[in-house]
């Protein structure tokens, strides 16, 4: 993120976009907007399956126009998707997409929840989805979130009545919501939850429909709309200088890893909402019509509302601090309310407004980004009152053990500074994403603490409590310990303060392929997270694998420095798969996790502790050819995987492609979605096909149908029609259609056993029609479907060979799937006759 545009900056101020805990800086218009939200006591829950499924237009409309407290419940964290901006996949992609959702909510004004469900990949039917997810477990999580958030209205993104017509996760999310709507209010449903929460019955359940769900605009126009509500989500907010759709588009653009960056839009936009359960509102433009959303709905609320409605009606934009006496009075009355849930919500909102009207700035910043259990670290305290309001800082408390009684007056615009010492307990847990702390199943994360279920992030362990006397009222404001710093090329930055191990170790490659019995030297990088660390690293391994000197000592003087240890690993003589784990030992403590940093400009920096293990695979594999040209598409780890089995891979800049430049390669491989994301290929397609015509082998991995420049007539030398066909069951039976084809016999014999152990899926976006020049090699299908023969197509063209494949090599090779390596080596070897040729590359 090189710069913040004026529009984006405005949205950040509106929404308290954090850039990793950066404090909110509110204008008078922002304060007024917050006051409007404070005075609306209604909640809406939007519900779907994945990050980026949410309708940001409706979420922003409910939050910023209706002023409802609005949340999005995404059943998964998007772990099964792809990544257009980096290499994070699976659990790490889930962490990235979690933060992108939080960034989106910080823009559109919503909040965020999750269940324990994993995004295990595309699913064609909810029956499959709910079996893998553990239907009852995920349903209980939906009920839990409803009982804790207590929404008046719930809006489903998808239709529960259309199983099999779309992604199984989508339909499942709607089905679970439809059922949870009633279960949440029943004391006999999941009664074990009621010791920590209470039952709650929402008033209405809606489906956020559109003409698309009806099949066409014409069918939608003709449909019975008795139960439909409609709202204009293109409304303009004069106080903010923004339209709702502008805010929504900026929120949507936070999903950068999925390629959802977009232009902002303006103008009227109609959203349709179908009532599924509850009473139909008389006003069909108001989801909350007939629901009491005033202060009178809570115990003691009328008196509070009498004060706050007047503040809103007579708001002083020039001097918001003039309202402080009324805000303090309302705060005192709120403390007497017996309505626990609304009291907690509104107290947070009211305290934030009190901070804003006084220009009060409170911060607790550690002097380093992380600390180790048992370590002490300074926390810099800053407090400043930027108003004429009488204010005194009475006490500072840093959990768990330091209290400073200060009694310092906070005079107008006079900065107060102090330093507290945080003594991190030796028993303190590491600040890891909580859902990754235990080994989960294929479909769900394992979370042992019920209170954590639903939360978007791990709660911060350390806070400073600022006790203030404001106009005679004692108020305590809680601030998390963060890390604030600056970089010359980026300016002021904020990131979470982390608790990490004293040292961690990692092997760079997560899969190591041994194509024969030759030993390999394995590099283990040990990184210190405190000064003066001494210990040892032991490479734990399975029987059959041999490691020379498996335990080695290390000494690292400075925090963040690293030391490299070299181990020699010899594989067994026979084909085998196993794992090697570097275990750090320091003063009797063993640490078998590696520290991974996820750092992008649009989200806070994330520190993740994952099991430090590398899959080791002994293959009996042959190959022909040596030098492979690779044109990177949307991003994958296939080049690194091919290097593991001895190929020399050269990444090609499309701009440099010419007939002469391609002659030196034994094969050309197109990365996933290359034609979708590299428009310059339209100028280089002739060169690539000439390469094939002159005797080369070209492998094109999957692309999504129709998502390339219109000037492409075809991505193949013959007619080839891509489709949405896919086989999502990674264990689906594979039929070998062309048993005698060289691709299945040279240099490795491919059998059905080579399709064992695949992960997540067989493949995606298979062609559905092709010229007779192509030979289909494999057949496969999901349960209940017809056989798909387009997963691997081979055609001779001129003197060479063109191959199109939708098989998910981009997942299988980095996962060390042995059969996938053998099959890819055979594709690269098509047209060759000699095993293990080593042509010298002449640049």
């Amino acid at each position: 993120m090189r710069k913040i545009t004026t529009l984006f900056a405005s949205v950040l101020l509106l929404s308290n976009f954090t850039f990793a805990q950066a404090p909110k800086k509110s204008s008078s218009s922002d304060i007024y907007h917050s006051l409007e939200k404070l005075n609306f006591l209604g909640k809406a829950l939007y519900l779907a399956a994945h990050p980026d499924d949410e309708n940001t237009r409706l979420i922003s409309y409910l939050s910023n126009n209706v002023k409802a407290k609005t949340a999005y419940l995404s059943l998964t964290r998007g772990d099964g998707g792809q990544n257009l901006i980096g290499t994070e996949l699976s659990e790490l992609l889930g962490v990235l997409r979690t933060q992108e959702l939080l960034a989106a909510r910080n823009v559109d004004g919503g909040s965020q929840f999750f269940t324990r469900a994993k995004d295990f990949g595309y699913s064609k039917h909810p029956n499959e989805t709910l079996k893998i997810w553990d239907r009852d477990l995920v349903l209980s999580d939906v009920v839990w979130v409803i009982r804790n958030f207590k929404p008046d209205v719930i809006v489903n993104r998808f239709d529960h009545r259309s199983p099999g017509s779309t992604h199984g996760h989508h339909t499942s999310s709607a089905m679970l919501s439809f059922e949870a709507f009633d279960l949440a209010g029943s004391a006999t449903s999941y009664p074990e939850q009621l010791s920590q929460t209470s039952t709650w019955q929402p008033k209405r359940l809606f489906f956020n429909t559109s003409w698309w769900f009806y099949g066409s605009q014409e069918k939608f126009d003709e449909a019975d709309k008795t139960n439909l509500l409609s709202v204009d989500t293109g409304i303009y907010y004069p106080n903010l200088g923004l339209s709702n759709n502008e805010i929504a588009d900026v929120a949507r653009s936070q999903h950068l890893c999925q390629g959802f960056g977009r232009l902002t839009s303006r103008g009227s936009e109609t959203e349709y909402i179908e009532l599924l359960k509850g009473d139909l509102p008389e006003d069909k433009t108001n989801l909350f019509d007939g629901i009491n959303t005033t202060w009178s709905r809570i115990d003691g609320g009328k008196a509070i509302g009498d004060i706050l409605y007047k503040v809103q009606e007579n708001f002083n934009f020039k001097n918001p601090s003039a309202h402080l006496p009324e805000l303090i009075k309302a705060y005192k009355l709120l403390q007497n309310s017996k309505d626990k849930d609304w009291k907690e919500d509104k107290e947070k909102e009211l305290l934030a407004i009190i901070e804003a009207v006084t220009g009060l700035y409170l911060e607790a910043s550690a002097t380093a980004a992380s600390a180790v259990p048992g370590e002490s670290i300074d926390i810099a305290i800053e407090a400043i009152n930027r108003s004429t309001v009488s204010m005194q800082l009475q006490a500072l408390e840093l959990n768990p053990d330091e209290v400073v009684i200060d009694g310092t007056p906070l005079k107008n615009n006079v900065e107060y500074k102090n330093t507290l010492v945080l003594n991190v307990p030796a028993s303190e847990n590491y600040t890891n994403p909580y859902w990754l702390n235990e080994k989960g199943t294929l479909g769900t994360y394992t979370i042992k603490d019920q209170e954590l279920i639903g939360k978007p992030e791990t709660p911060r362990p350390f806070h400073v409590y600022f006790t203030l006397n404001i106009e005679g009222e004692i108020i305590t404001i809680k601030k998390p310990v963060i890390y604030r710093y600056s970089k010359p090329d980026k300016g002021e930055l904020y990131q979470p303060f982390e608790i990490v191990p004293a040292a961690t170790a990692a092997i760079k490659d997560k899969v190591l392929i041994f194509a024969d019995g030759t030993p390999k030297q394995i590099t283990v990088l040990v990184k210190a997270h405190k000064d003066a660390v001494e210990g040892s690293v032991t490479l734990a391994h399975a029987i059959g694998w041999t490691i020379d000197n498996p335990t080695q000592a290390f000494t690292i003087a400075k925090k963040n420095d690293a030391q490299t240890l070299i181990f020699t690993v010899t594989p067994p003589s026979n084909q085998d798969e196993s794992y090697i784990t570097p275990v750090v030992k320091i003063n009797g403590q063993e640490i078998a996790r590696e520290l991974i940093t996820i750092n992008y400009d649009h989200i806070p920096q994330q520190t993740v502790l994952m099991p430090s293990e590398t899959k080791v695979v002994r293959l009996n594999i042959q190959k022909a050819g040596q030098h492979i040209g690779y044109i990177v598409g949307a991003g994958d780890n296939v080049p690194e995987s091919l290097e593991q089995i001895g190929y020399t891979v050269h990444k090609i800049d499309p701009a440099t492609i010419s007939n002469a430049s391609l002659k030196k390669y034994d094969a050309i491989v197109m990365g996933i979605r290359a034609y979708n994301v590299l428009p310059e290929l339209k100028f280089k397609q002739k060169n690539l096909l000439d390469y094939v015509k002159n005797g080369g082998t070209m492998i094109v991995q999957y692309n999504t149908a129709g998502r390339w420049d219109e000037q492409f007539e075809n991505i193949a030398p013959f007619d080839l029609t891509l489709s949405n066909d896919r086989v999502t069951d990674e264990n689906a039976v594979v039929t070998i259609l062309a048993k005698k084809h060289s691709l299945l016999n040279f240099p490795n014999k491919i059998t059905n056993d080579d399709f064992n152990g695949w992960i997540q899926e067989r493949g995606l976006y298979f062609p559905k029609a092709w010229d007779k020049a192509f030979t289909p090699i494999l057949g496969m299908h999901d349960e209940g479907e017809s056989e798909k023969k387009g997963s691997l197509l081979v055609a001779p063209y001129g003197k060479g060979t063109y191959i199109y494949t939708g098989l998910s090599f981009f997942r299988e090779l980095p996962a060390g799937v042995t059969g996938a390596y053998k099959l890819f080596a055979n594709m690269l070897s098509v047209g060759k006759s000699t095993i293990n040729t080593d042509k010298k590359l002449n640049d």
Side-chain angles (χ1 to χ4, degrees):
M1 191 175 298
R2 300 298 181 188
K3 62 181 179 180
I4 303 176
T5 65
T6 302
L7 169 65
F8 197 19
S10 299
V11 175
L12 301 189
L13 292 176
L14 156 71
S15 60
N16 191 23
F17 187 80
T18 60
F19 280 116
Q21 289 75 47
K24 181 176 181 179
K25 300 173 177 67
S26 298
S27 68
S28 293
S29 291
D30 298 324
I31 298 170
Y32 181 75
H33 191 66
S34 297
L35 186 61
E36 290 180 300
K37 290 186 175 185
L38 178 67
N39 282 336
F40 187 92
L41 279 74
K43 295 182 183 180
L45 180 67
Y46 200 88
L47 192 148
H50 309 107
D52 75 43
D53 281 346
E54 82 276 28
N55 184 343
T56 54
R57 293 186 302 275
L58 192 56
I59 290 176
S60 179
Y61 176 86
L62 290 169
S63 175
N64 297 305
N65 184 66
V66 177
K67 308 301 189 301
K69 186 175 178 64
T70 306
Y72 174 43
L73 171 55
S74 175
L75 297 197
T76 75
R77 295 177 185 267
D79 336 71
Q82 294 160 40
N83 186 356
L84 297 184
I85 63 173
T87 59
E88 294 86 3
L89 291 174
S90 302
E91 294 91 348
L92 295 178
L93 179 59
V95 174
L96 169 57
R97 296 188 73 184
T98 292
Q99 291 301 316
E100 288 188 334
L101 267 181
L102 289 172
R105 297 295 77 76
N106 277 325
V107 170
D108 60 35
S111 53
Q112 187 64 50
F113 297 111
F114 295 94
T115 73
R116 284 173 282 185
K118 280 186 181 179
D119 177 4
F120 56 83
Y122 191 87
S123 174
K124 293 181 177 178
H125 200 281
N127 289 349
E128 177 197 30
T129 299
L130 295 172
K131 180 179 179 181
I132 293 175
W133 273 355
D134 184 342
R135 181 184 184 283
D136 189 65
L137 185 77
V138 179
L139 178 59
S140 75
D141 288 357
V142 178
V143 170
W144 171 258
V145 170
I146 293 172
R147 284 174 170 175
N148 282 281
F149 183 61
K150 294 181 167 47
D152 298 297
V153 299
I154 298 176
V155 183
N156 291 344
R157 184 67 181 110
F158 299 105
D159 189 359
H160 69 287
R161 299 159 295 194
S162 55
S165 64
T166 183
H167 196 325
H169 296 184
H170 293 168
T171 311
S172 295
S173 71
M175 293 169 64
L176 293 175
S177 175
F178 190 83
E179 188 171 357
F181 181 86
D182 296 316
L183 296 180
S186 170
T188 60
S189 300
Y190 305 107
E192 68 280 1
Q193 296 181 0
L194 299 180
S195 62
Q196 295 167 283
T197 188
S198 58
T199 59
W200 178 256
Q201 184 55 60
K203 304 295 191 300
R204 292 169 185 145
L205 176 66
F206 297 100
F207 162 43
N208 184 192
T209 189
S210 72
W211 67 264
W212 187 87
F213 289 97
Y214 287 76
S216 69
Q217 184 67 51
E218 182 179 351
K219 290 180 180 179
F220 178 70
D221 292 340
E222 295 172 353
D224 178 10
K225 298 182 177 59
T226 302
N227 286 337
L228 284 191
L229 285 73
S230 64
V231 296
D232 183 357
T233 59
I235 191 168
Y236 178 68
Y237 305 123
N239 284 339
L240 303 175
L242 292 165
S243 61
N244 187 77
N245 28 20
E246 286 176 299
I247 295 171
D249 289 336
V250 175
R252 187 72 169 163
S253 290
Q254 301 312 301
H255 297 294
L256 294 182
C257 75
Q258 302 305 297
F260 284 146
R262 58 170 56 185
L263 292 171
T264 57
S265 60
R266 285 145 291 279
S268 179
E269 288 186 282
T270 301
E271 287 289 337
Y272 294 94
I273 303 103
E274 178 188 356
L275 180 72
L276 300 177
K277 290 185 177 183
D279 60 303
L280 185 67
E282 290 185 16
D283 181 355
K284 288 191 176 183
T285 65
N286 183 1
L287 280 68
F288 286 87
D289 183 45
I291 299 172
N292 184 6
T293 59
T294 70
W295 277 100
S296 65
R297 79 178 292 177
I298 73 168
D299 173 63
K302 184 180 182 304
I304 300 171
D306 288 343
I307 297 169
L308 293 178
Y309 292 136
K310 288 181 181 178
V311 173
Q312 179 180 331
E313 183 179 355
N314 302 298
F315 187 73
N316 188 332
F317 284 87
K318 290 185 176 181
N319 181 22
S321 65
H323 298 294
L324 187 63
E326 293 99 327
L327 295 173
I328 292 292
K329 186 176 180 181
Y331 176 81
K332 291 173 67 174
L333 290 174
L334 184 58
Q335 304 313 299
N336 299 323
S337 176
K338 297 177 182 178
D339 195 312
K340 177 184 175 183
D341 295 303
W342 277 114
K343 176 185 174 183
E344 183 177 325
D345 285 339
K346 292 303 175 180
E347 183 179 277
K348 290 179 182 177
E349 293 179 45
L350 189 49
L351 282 176
I353 291 173
I354 289 172
E355 282 188 73
V357 300
T358 58
L360 182 61
Y361 183 93
L362 304 173
E363 183 179 275
S365 177
T367 53
S370 65
V372 168
E375 193 174 19
S376 296
I377 188 168
D378 286 348
I379 308 298
I381 302 298
E382 181 180 352
I384 186 167
N385 166 24
R386 290 171 288 186
S387 73
T388 58
V389 170
S390 174
M391 192 180 303
Q392 186 182 57
L393 178 61
Q394 292 205 322
L396 294 167
E397 180 180 352
L398 171 61
N399 66 315
D401 56 9
E402 181 163 349
V403 179
V404 175
I405 306 299
D406 203 286
T408 299
L410 294 182
K411 297 179 180 179
N412 181 22
N413 215 29
V414 177
E415 190 176 36
Y416 168 90
K417 288 190 174 183
N418 204 335
T419 300
L420 304 181
V421 178
L422 172 60
N423 298 306
V424 182
S427 59
E428 186 64 40
N429 293 326
Y430 305 133
T431 50
N432 202 39
Y434 68 86
W435 59 95
L436 298 180
N437 285 333
E438 304 286 341
K439 187 176 179 62
T441 68
L442 172 64
T444 58
Y445 287 110
T446 298
I447 302 171
K448 295 181 177 179
D449 185 349
Q450 179 70 34
E451 291 286 348
L452 290 175
I453 293 172
K455 293 184 183 300
E457 298 180 283
T458 302
R460 292 287 103 185
F462 300 109
H463 297 81
V464 170
Y465 297 82
F466 294 79
T467 300
L468 302 157
N469 184 324
I470 304 178
E471 296 285 350
E473 180 68 17
I474 303 300
I475 291 176
T476 298
I477 298 176
K478 174 182 174 183
K479 295 292 181 181
V481 173
I482 51 87
Y483 175 56
R484 179 168 70 105
Y485 64 109
S486 66
K487 286 187 174 182
D489 59 336
K490 291 185 181 294
E492 184 177 64
L493 296 169
Y494 290 76
Q495 69 184 59
F497 173 68
E498 309 284 9
I499 303 301
V500 298
T504 53
I507 300 172
K508 177 184 177 181
D509 297 309
K510 295 303 138 192
V511 175
L512 290 170
I513 306 296
F514 292 76
D516 52 35
T518 304
K520 285 188 177 184
Q521 286 194 329
I522 306 302
T523 299
V524 176
L525 188 70
V526 186
K527 186 172 183 178
H529 305 298
K530 61 175 291 187
D531 291 340
V533 179
E534 294 184 4
S536 65
V537 173
T538 298
L539 225 53
H541 61 91
I543 295 173
W545 294 78
T546 304
I547 300 178
D548 295 344
N549 190 19
T551 298
Q552 298 183 29
F554 68 87
T555 300
I556 304 175
K558 293 293 184 180
K559 181 176 182 176
N560 294 326
D561 282 352
Q563 183 175 336
T564 299
L565 304 177
I566 306 295
F567 296 81
T568 301
V569 179
T570 304
S573 57
N574 297 321
Q575 190 161 294
D576 185 68
E577 295 184 9
S578 184
Y579 288 89
I580 289 177
T581 299
V583 180
V584 176
K585 298 181 180 180
I586 302 173
N587 297 326
Q589 182 185 19
E590 293 190 352
I591 303 159
R593 288 182 171 250
E594 65 173 301
L595 190 146
I596 300 169
T597 298
I598 301 175
N599 193 10
Y600 295 97
D601 284 346
H602 66 301
I603 64 166
Q605 180 173 303
Q606 298 298 295
T607 300
V608 186
L609 290 166
M610 294 290 289
S612 184
E613 60 183 19
T614 288
K615 184 177 183 180
V616 284
V617 179
R618 167 66 166 95
L619 272 178
N620 291 317
I621 191 169
Q622 302 289 335
K623 66 184 183 67
Q626 181 65 32
H627 294 282
I628 309 301
Y630 201 94
I631 300 173
V632 177
D636 58 59
N637 291 318
V638 171
E640 293 78 8
S641 298
L642 296 180
E643 289 173 341
Q644 289 260 15
I645 57 173
Y647 284 105
T648 304
V649 181
H650 309 267
K651 292 184 180 179
I652 300 174
D653 179 354
T656 67
I657 292 175
S658 66
N659 283 11
S661 71
L662 299 179
K663 288 181 179 179
K664 54 197 173 189
Y665 301 117
D666 295 310
I668 299 292
V669 181
M670 308 295 286
I672 60 172
R673 296 183 61 196
Y675 288 101
N676 297 142
V677 301
L678 299 174
E680 58 265 44
L681 287 179
K682 67 186 176 186
F683 304 113
K684 304 296 181 179
Q685 181 71 350
K686 184 179 184 303
N687 303 106
L688 292 167
L689 294 182
D690 283 347
Y691 166 81
V692 180
K693 185 185 293 186
N694 292 327
T697 297
M698 179 177 174
I699 300 170
V700 178
Q701 298 181 82
Y702 93 91
N703 285 262
T704 53
R707 295 185 180 179
W708 51 68
D709 194 286
E710 293 179 358
Q711 295 185 39
F712 274 121
E713 292 184 5
N714 210 325
I715 61 173
F718 308 105
D719 288 342
L720 185 69
T721 305
L722 303 188
S723 73
N724 292 323
D725 288 350
R726 60 174 74 202
V727 175
T728 61
D729 182 359
E730 64 270 33
N731 298 310
V733 173
V734 176
T735 302
I736 296 177
L737 301 175
K739 295 182 180 179
K740 295 183 179 181
H741 198 285
S742 64
L743 192 150
L744 296 174
N745 293 280
F746 177 83
N748 305 285
K749 178 70 174 178
I750 303 298
T751 70
N752 286 101
D753 289 343
D754 291 307
F755 296 95
N756 295 334
W758 285 49
I759 65 165
Q760 188 161 324
E761 62 198 357
R762 289 293 189 198
L764 62 171
Y765 297 107
F766 296 165
K768 64 179 179 181
W770 49 85
D771 188 271
K772 62 181 180 181
F774 284 102
T775 299
I777 303 296
L778 304 171
M780 58 190 71
H781 63 89
D782 283 321
E783 184 178 355
E785 295 189 353
S786 61
E787 187 173 54
K788 307 294 185 293
K789 297 182 180 181
S791 64
L792 180 56
L793 301 173
V794 183
Y797 181 59
K799 298 177 183 178
T801 305
Y802 178 96
I803 300 173
Y804 185 91
T805 179
L807 294 172
S808 59
F809 288 107
F810 71 100
R811 296 194 191 280
E812 312 311 321
L813 297 185
V817 177
T818 57
Y821 272 94
K822 290 171 64 179
L823 184 56
F824 210 100
N826 279 17
M827 292 194 301
L828 292 170
S829 302
V830 167
K832 315 291 190 303
S833 59
T834 305
I835 295 175
N836 289 332
T837 60
D838 190 7
K839 182 178 69 175
K840 298 298 182 182
L841 186 65
N842 182 10
D843 288 323

